[in-house]
């Protein structure tokens, strides 16, 4: 069991957690949990001497046995009081006395604590601005826009991960010209459970055009369980920067896990009536999960339609008109990813999108 009793803790900034306890059995448990999270803690029986890391440790784990020794200490955030007796009402009073953010009762709260310690070990800050792109109908250009957004983000100096969530889409690494690049693909993560390390994930993926790509291989289609999708995307978001997800129009439990972690989604809709009608059904399904769904309209326009009218018919805010990248339509453009030319219309559209989204949604550069 775990509960917040004061304020929301600030993001971890990296470093070793501090353990304060004289309870040998509790210390063994906390050392075990730290090892599982990949962290090496500093251990004290009471308040560290002057020069210790009481003030600087990104996370302090205080055994209930040691709470009385910390009364009068300097108040700080990221303090967790840890006990074993759920029926002891005094633990809440002791937590208030030392200014703890949380009270955690073992063993029920072990997974929560491992996640918090791992955040400290990784130096987790603000999560990545996570954008999903989905086509209003087949062939709408969602994969092209996904790649262009990712390439543009990386060119702007942001840590960028491009995720291919469509196992039947042919692979975004192919679209980026990197199908032979070394690194793991989705099938390697099918058995993932619990927490996936953000740093390890990033380092394991193919690096293409200054960004990382999680795509599919060309082998047999492997089903990735929803819990694995959740763990992998959560790890990607903890690294900060931006995450762009190319979504399939077929929505299943795995895609639902992705939708739940999006900050916003772009629905790419060709400006024709049948596409608008199809996009309406997609919007209804996606909009049940994603609170910020916007429409990106792609020409050419059918008679009587423009980008504003398409947005009105769908009842969605307009993200803009997705321009055609002429170089991609010519043979000499082969091998260059969408958005590769910083001066091209598609790259300019993507740069303007990121500038607005990073301000509106609160991502970090």
């Amino acid at each position: 069991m775990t509960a917040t009793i004061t304020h929301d803790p600030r993001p971890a900034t990296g470093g070793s957690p501090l353990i304060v306890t004289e309870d040998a059995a509790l210390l063994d448990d906390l050392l075990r949990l730290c090892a599982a999270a990949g962290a090496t803690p500093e251990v004290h029986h009471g308040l560290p001497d002057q020069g210790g890391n009481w003030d600087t440790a990104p996370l302090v784990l205080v055994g209930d046995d040691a709470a009385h020794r910390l009364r009068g200490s300097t108040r700080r955030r990221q303090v967790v009081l840890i006990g074993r007796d759920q029926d002891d009402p005094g633990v809440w009073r002791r937590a208030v006395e030392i200014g703890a953010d949380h009270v955690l009762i073992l063993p029920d709260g072990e997974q929560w604590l491992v996640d918090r310690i791992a955040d400290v070990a990784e130096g987790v800050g603000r999560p990545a601005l996570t954008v999903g792109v989905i086509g209003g109908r087949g062939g709408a250009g969602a994969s092209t826009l996904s790649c262009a957004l990712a390439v543009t983000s990386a060119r702007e100096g942001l840590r960028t991960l491009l995720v291919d969530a469509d196992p039947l889409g042919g692979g975004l690494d192919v679209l980026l010209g990197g199908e032979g690049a070394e690194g793991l693909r989705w099938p390697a993560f099918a058995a993932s459970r619990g927490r996936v390390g953000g740093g390890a994930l990033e380092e394991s993926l193919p690096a293409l055009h200054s960004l990382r790509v999680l795509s599919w291989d060309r082998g047999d289609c492997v089903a990735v369980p929803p819990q694995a999708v959740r763990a992998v995307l959560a790890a990607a978001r903890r690294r900060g920067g931006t995450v762009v997800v190319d979504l399939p129009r077929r929505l299943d439990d795995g895609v639902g896990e992705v939708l739940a972690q999006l900050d916003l989604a772009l629905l790419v809709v060709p400006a024709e009536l049948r596409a608008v009608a199809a996009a309406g059904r997609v919007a209804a399904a996606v909009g049940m999960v994603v609170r910020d769904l916007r429409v990106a309209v792609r020409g050419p326009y059918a008679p009587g339609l423009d980008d504003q009218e398409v947005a009105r018919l769908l009842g969605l805010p307009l993200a803009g008109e997705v321009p055609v990248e002429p170089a991609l339509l010519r043979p000499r453009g082969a091998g260059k990813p969408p958005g590769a030319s910083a001066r091209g219309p598609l790259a300019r559209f993507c740069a303007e999108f990121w500038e607005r989204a990073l301000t509106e949604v609160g991502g970090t550069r």
Side-chain angles (χ1 to χ4, degrees):
M1 181 186 75
T2 179
T4 303
I5 63 170
T6 55
H7 44 262
D8 291 333
R10 64 189 175 188
T13 56
S16 299
L18 170 66
I19 296 175
V20 182
T21 185
E22 281 187 315
D23 185 329
L26 178 61
L27 178 59
D28 285 345
D29 282 339
L30 294 180
L31 291 175
R32 170 177 57 82
L33 297 178
C34 285
T40 302
E42 180 178 332
V43 179
H44 286 265
H45 297 310
L47 187 68
D49 297 332
Q50 187 174 3
N53 67 348
W54 171 261
D55 294 322
T56 59
L59 180 67
V60 179
L61 309 178
V62 180
D64 194 27
D65 68 289
H68 68 281
R69 292 192 292 277
L70 299 181
R71 292 172 186 160
S73 60
T74 303
R75 294 300 176 100
R76 52 154 294 159
R77 294 187 174 187
Q78 293 281 60
V79 175
V80 181
L81 182 63
I82 301 172
R84 295 185 184 277
D85 186 359
Q86 295 189 25
D87 298 322
D88 177 12
V91 69
W92 303 99
R93 173 180 51 80
R94 293 186 289 275
V96 171
E97 289 174 349
I98 67 172
D101 297 292
H102 289 80
V103 171
L104 182 139
I105 304 299
L106 295 180
D108 293 349
E110 285 194 357
Q111 186 56 56
W112 181 91
L113 188 56
V114 169
D115 287 344
R116 289 293 297 277
I117 297 170
D119 283 344
V120 167
E122 290 186 24
V124 173
R126 184 176 295 177
L129 174 58
T130 306
V131 177
V133 185
I134 187 168
R137 66 155 170 79
S143 295
T144 297
L145 181 57
S146 297
C147 288
L149 285 170
V151 168
T152 303
S153 171
R155 187 166 51 239
E156 295 291 322
L158 296 170
R159 173 184 276 124
T160 304
L161 173 62
L162 176 61
V163 178
D164 185 353
D166 185 0
L168 304 180
L172 290 186
D173 52 352
V174 177
L175 190 54
L176 292 172
E179 59 271 25
E182 294 185 0
L184 300 182
R185 269 67 173 180
W186 266 118
F189 299 98
S192 297
R193 298 293 185 274
R195 184 187 178 94
V196 175
L201 172 68
E202 183 177 25
E203 293 173 4
S204 72
L205 299 177
L208 300 168
H209 307 285
S210 301
L211 58 95
R212 297 284 179 167
V213 183
L214 176 54
S215 189
W216 299 86
D217 60 18
R218 258 51 66 188
D220 294 337
C221 187
V222 175
V224 179
Q227 58 267 36
V229 175
R230 182 194 317 128
V232 169
L233 191 58
R237 298 188 72 232
R238 287 195 301 270
R239 296 294 286 169
T242 67
V243 175
V244 180
V245 186
D246 183 27
L247 294 160
R249 295 175 64 245
R250 171 188 47 80
L251 304 183
D252 55 21
D253 290 342
V255 176
E257 293 290 350
V258 175
L259 294 176
Q261 297 194 52
L262 296 181
D263 293 302
L264 67 91
L266 294 177
L267 180 63
V268 184
V269 183
E272 56 186 53
L273 288 177
R274 288 188 63 192
V276 173
R281 293 190 290 271
V282 176
V286 174
M288 295 178 64
V289 183
V290 180
R291 289 180 295 178
D292 189 349
L293 177 61
R294 312 178 190 184
V295 60
V297 183
R298 182 174 64 81
Y301 292 93
L305 286 182
D306 59 18
D307 52 358
Q308 296 286 345
E309 180 64 8
V310 171
R312 187 192 69 80
L313 290 171
L314 292 171
L316 296 174
L318 178 64
E321 178 186 352
V322 181
V324 175
E325 187 77 72
L328 296 177
L329 304 178
R330 297 193 295 268
R332 67 183 180 87
K336 290 185 178 181
S341 173
R343 296 182 179 181
L346 186 55
R348 291 198 302 270
F349 170 88
C350 293
E352 292 171 1
F353 167 81
W354 285 123
E355 184 176 1
R356 292 193 306 270
L358 289 165
T359 300
E360 296 168 359
V361 183
T364 56
R365 287 186 180 272

